[in-house]
Amino acid sequence: MSNKFLFGCIYIPPENSKYSSEEAFTEIEEELLFFSHDINNIALVSDFNSRTGHMSDIVEIDENLFDMLDIVNASEIMNENTLCVNNFIKKGIPLERYSEDKIIVNNYGRKLIELCKRCSLCFANGRLHQDKFIGKNTCKDASLVDYLILSPDMFDLVMEFEIFDFDPTLSDVHNQMHFSLCITHKNYTDQQNKKNNTYVRWNTNKAHEFTQVLSDDTDALNLIKHTLENFQTESVTPLQVNDLISELGNVLLDTASTAFGPAGKQPRNDINLENLLDRMETYEKKIAKLEMEVERMSVIEKEAAELRQIVQVPGTYAFTWTVCASGDVNSEIGVELVIDNKVHGSIYVDSETHTEEHCSTGFVIHTLKTGDVVYTRSQGAGHEGNSRHQRFLLDEGPGVAFSAYKSASFDAPSFGVKHTFIYDHVECNVGNGYENFTGIFRPSVPGTYAFTWTVCASGDVNSEIGVELVIDNKVHGSIYVDSETHTEEHCSTGFVIHTLKTGDVVYTRSQGAGHEGTIRSDKYARTTFSGWLLFY
């Protein structure tokens, strides 16, 4: 490539994690200024962990401010911004940003928007090709945090841009981002022409000089007049019109340069070797820190391997696992139950403040064959702080058992009062006592049964709901879950043992009032209902 390009691949740890830094965006901006000397083509591929919603990344300029503040290089500032806007309009690229992630704009999101505005960069997400007018979520099917960010000149070079569906073989939680660039000699020439153009700001005080210079340039005016007179309106082509407009623009620019004088750009400092060495030393320290974290994670994986259980006797088994988040520091982790490399249950615990202590318990019943492997493992991302206790139980199940969960999250207020929960996805139903279309369990044989149910509140909005276990129209157990802040994720689990007779009806339902927000049931945190026969 004969033209100059700057490509960056960036990752910023999540907000509030122990690896996050308020200075991250400042460092990135400094790097951009340092390395982008004399470069107009910039592309950043990034996981910023920044949720930007629909915030605009284009600066709205009030030209009157330049006169009021007596800014000398106003034309350069305006041209960088108007170049982006004009290019978008010309190419049919929406100025408005589109995103499926509409709920939250976090602090990192605001910082990223400010970074883009200061550096004259724009988001490709939601604007180009297959993702145009969409802005598809890129993480957990719930948030947009992975971006392709470009300088205005680069938008002309992007031939493909698409966010693919989630593929667990490629990432733990992120979708694949695909884009391609086409760089030709024509594009290079166009960029050079743009770079060599001189943009001159109109000066009202010299309007008379402008008119006089234009009137004196009779050769140029006669050429344009001759071209217009020879236009055949029935057969004129777009190319002829474009050539005429281009020629007219050149005449006006030449006239303005003569009348007002050209506006020059201020030179940037050349790259300093000493500064570069200092930055390399900083990067080496960061790499060493990451290597220590990788070593720590390998120890955790070794400990997790010791928890794995291999089934010796086929049958129906009940599994429960508990994880507790310490309030000493902000702690959060998700833990999932895996049976033969497939996730069959997930819980999430999150203590957002230093005084909170939270535990979460999962429960799954599943029919296994000899040789099946069962274990718990951490979820893909977002772990913080210390997990104080984890418990893993493996017991042979009885002859009647069921386990089911809701296949999708739902809006708590619309769920209603005293409304029966219907867990539509059935993991196990030995004895066929559970009805996934009503949410009711009817025992096929009398005996003493154990029941457990879990409900999870989303942290996207303030979410809360109470869920109670009902046996023959009488409440025998109640749980309540409440995420008070936008970043909290909470689950609550209930457990009841009760003796049933044939014909009894068992189900869970919402409590009387106070429901709000979103109740989660997805691959990271499931709302579940399970039960099994202990003995006859």
Coordinates of all heavy atoms in Angstrom, one line a residue, residues 12 25 28 44 46 48-52 57 107-118 123 145 147 149:
I12 N -10.2 -3.2 26.6 CA -10.2 -2.5 27.9 C -11.0 -3.4 28.8 O -12.2 -3.7 28.5 CB -10.9 -1.1 27.8 CG1 -10.0 -0.2 26.9 CG2 -11.1 -0.5 29.1 CD1 -10.6 1.2 26.7
F25 N -8.8 5.5 28.5 CA -9.1 6.2 27.3 C -8.2 7.4 27.0 O -7.9 7.7 25.8 CB -10.6 6.7 27.4 CG -11.6 5.6 27.3 CD1 -12.0 4.9 28.5 CD2 -12.2 5.3 26.1 CE1 -12.9 3.9 28.4 CE2 -13.1 4.2 26.0 CZ -13.5 3.6 27.2
I28 N -5.2 5.8 25.3 CA -5.5 5.5 23.9 C -5.5 6.8 23.0 O -4.9 6.8 21.9 CB -6.9 4.8 23.7 CG1 -6.9 3.4 24.4 CG2 -7.3 4.7 22.3 CD1 -8.2 2.8 24.5
L44 N -9.9 1.3 14.2 CA -9.7 0.6 15.5 C -10.7 -0.5 15.6 O -11.9 -0.3 15.4 CB -9.9 1.6 16.6 CG -9.1 2.9 16.6 CD1 -9.5 3.8 17.8 CD2 -7.6 2.6 16.6
S46 N -12.1 -3.1 18.3 CA -11.9 -3.0 19.8 C -13.1 -3.7 20.5 O -14.2 -3.8 20.1 CB -11.9 -1.6 20.1 OG -13.1 -0.9 19.7
F48 N -14.1 -2.4 23.8 CA -14.0 -1.3 24.8 C -14.7 -1.6 26.1 O -14.6 -0.8 27.0 CB -14.4 0.0 24.1 CG -13.4 0.7 23.3 CD1 -13.6 0.7 21.9 CD2 -12.3 1.3 23.8 CE1 -12.6 1.3 21.1 CE2 -11.4 1.9 23.0 CZ -11.6 1.9 21.7
N49 N -15.6 -2.6 26.1 CA -16.5 -2.8 27.2 C -17.3 -1.5 27.5 O -17.6 -1.2 28.6 CB -15.8 -3.3 28.5 CG -15.6 -4.8 28.5 OD1 -16.6 -5.5 28.5 ND2 -14.4 -5.2 28.5
S50 N -17.6 -0.8 26.4 CA -18.3 0.5 26.5 C -19.7 0.3 25.8 O -19.8 -0.1 24.7 CB -17.5 1.5 25.7 OG -16.2 1.7 26.2
R51 N -20.7 0.7 26.6 CA -22.0 0.6 26.1 C -22.5 2.1 25.8 O -22.6 2.9 26.7 CB -23.0 0.0 27.1 CG -22.5 -1.4 27.5 CD -23.4 -2.1 28.5 NE -24.7 -2.5 27.9 CZ -25.6 -3.2 28.5 NH1 -25.4 -3.6 29.8 NH2 -26.8 -3.5 28.0
T52 N -22.6 2.3 24.5 CA -22.8 3.7 24.0 C -24.2 4.0 23.6 O -24.6 5.2 23.3 CB -21.9 4.0 22.8 OG1 -22.2 3.1 21.8 CG2 -20.4 3.9 23.2
D57 N -21.8 10.3 17.7 CA -20.4 10.4 17.7 C -19.9 11.5 16.8 O -18.7 11.6 16.5 CB -19.8 9.1 17.3 CG -20.4 8.6 16.0 OD1 -21.4 9.2 15.5 OD2 -19.9 7.6 15.4
N107 N -20.3 4.5 31.9 CA -19.3 5.5 32.0 C -18.3 5.4 30.9 O -17.9 6.3 30.3 CB -18.6 5.5 33.4 CG -17.6 6.6 33.5 OD1 -17.9 7.7 33.2 ND2 -16.5 6.2 34.1
Y108 N -17.9 4.1 30.6 CA -17.0 3.9 29.6 C -17.6 4.3 28.2 O -16.8 4.7 27.3 CB -16.6 2.4 29.5 CG -15.4 2.0 30.4 CD1 -14.9 2.9 31.4 CD2 -14.8 0.8 30.4 CE1 -13.9 2.6 32.2 CE2 -13.8 0.4 31.2 CZ -13.3 1.3 32.1 OH -12.3 1.0 33.0
G109 N -18.9 4.1 28.1 CA -19.5 4.5 26.8 C -19.4 6.0 26.6 O -19.1 6.4 25.4
R110 N -19.6 6.8 27.6 CA -19.5 8.2 27.5 C -18.0 8.6 27.1 O -17.8 9.5 26.3 CB -19.9 8.9 28.7 CG -21.4 8.6 29.0 CD -21.9 9.4 30.3 NE -23.3 9.1 30.6 CZ -23.6 8.1 31.4 NH1 -22.7 7.3 32.0 NH2 -24.9 7.9 31.6
K111 N -17.1 7.9 27.8 CA -15.7 8.2 27.5 C -15.3 7.9 26.0 O -14.6 8.6 25.4 CB -14.8 7.5 28.5 CG -14.8 8.0 29.9 CD -13.9 7.2 30.8 CE -13.8 7.7 32.2 NZ -13.1 9.0 32.2
L112 N -15.9 6.8 25.5 CA -15.6 6.4 24.2 C -16.1 7.4 23.2 O -15.5 7.7 22.2 CB -16.1 5.0 23.9 CG -15.9 4.5 22.5 CD1 -14.4 4.5 22.1 CD2 -16.5 3.1 22.3
I113 N -17.4 7.9 23.4 CA -18.0 8.9 22.5 C -17.1 10.1 22.5 O -16.9 10.7 21.4 CB -19.4 9.2 23.0 CG1 -20.3 8.0 22.8 CG2 -19.9 10.4 22.3 CD1 -20.6 7.6 21.3
E114 N -16.7 10.6 23.7 CA -15.8 11.8 23.7 C -14.5 11.6 23.0 O -14.0 12.5 22.3 CB -15.6 12.2 25.2 CG -16.8 12.7 25.9 CD -17.4 13.9 25.2 OE1 -16.7 14.8 24.8 OE2 -18.6 13.9 25.0
L115 N -13.9 10.4 23.1 CA -12.7 10.1 22.4 C -12.9 10.2 20.9 O -12.1 10.8 20.2 CB -12.2 8.6 22.8 CG -11.1 8.1 21.9 CD1 -9.8 8.8 22.2 CD2 -10.9 6.6 22.2
C116 N -14.0 9.6 20.4 CA -14.3 9.6 19.0 C -14.5 11.1 18.5 O -14.0 11.5 17.4 CB -15.6 8.8 18.7 SG -15.3 7.0 18.9
K117 N -15.2 11.9 19.3 CA -15.4 13.3 18.9 C -14.1 14.1 18.8 O -13.9 14.8 17.9 CB -16.4 13.9 19.8 CG -17.8 13.4 19.7 CD -18.8 14.2 20.6 CE -20.2 13.7 20.4 NZ -21.1 14.4 21.3
R118 N -13.3 13.8 19.8 CA -12.0 14.6 19.8 C -11.0 14.2 18.7 O -10.2 15.0 18.3 CB -11.3 14.5 21.2 CG -12.0 15.2 22.3 CD -11.1 15.4 23.5 NE -10.9 14.1 24.1 CZ -11.6 13.6 25.1 NH1 -12.6 14.3 25.6 NH2 -11.3 12.4 25.7
F123 N -18.2 5.4 14.4 CA -18.6 4.0 14.5 C -19.0 3.5 13.1 O -19.9 4.1 12.5 CB -19.7 3.8 15.5 CG -19.2 4.1 16.9 CD1 -19.4 5.3 17.4 CD2 -18.7 3.1 17.7 CE1 -19.0 5.6 18.7 CE2 -18.3 3.4 19.0 CZ -18.5 4.6 19.5
V145 N -20.5 -4.0 22.7 CA -19.3 -3.5 23.3 C -18.1 -3.6 22.3 O -17.0 -3.2 22.6 CB -19.0 -4.2 24.6 CG1 -20.0 -3.9 25.7 CG2 -18.8 -5.7 24.5
Y147 N -16.5 -2.9 18.6 CA -16.8 -1.9 17.6 C -15.7 -1.9 16.5 O -14.5 -2.3 16.8 CB -16.8 -0.5 18.2 CG -17.8 -0.2 19.3 CD1 -17.5 -0.3 20.6 CD2 -19.1 0.1 19.0 CE1 -18.4 -0.1 21.6 CE2 -20.1 0.3 20.0 CZ -19.7 0.2 21.3 OH -20.6 0.4 22.3
I149 N -14.2 1.2 14.6 CA -14.2 2.7 14.6 C -13.2 3.2 13.6 O -12.1 2.7 13.5 CB -13.8 3.2 16.0 CG1 -14.8 2.6 17.1 CG2 -13.8 4.7 16.1 CD1 -14.5 3.0 18.5

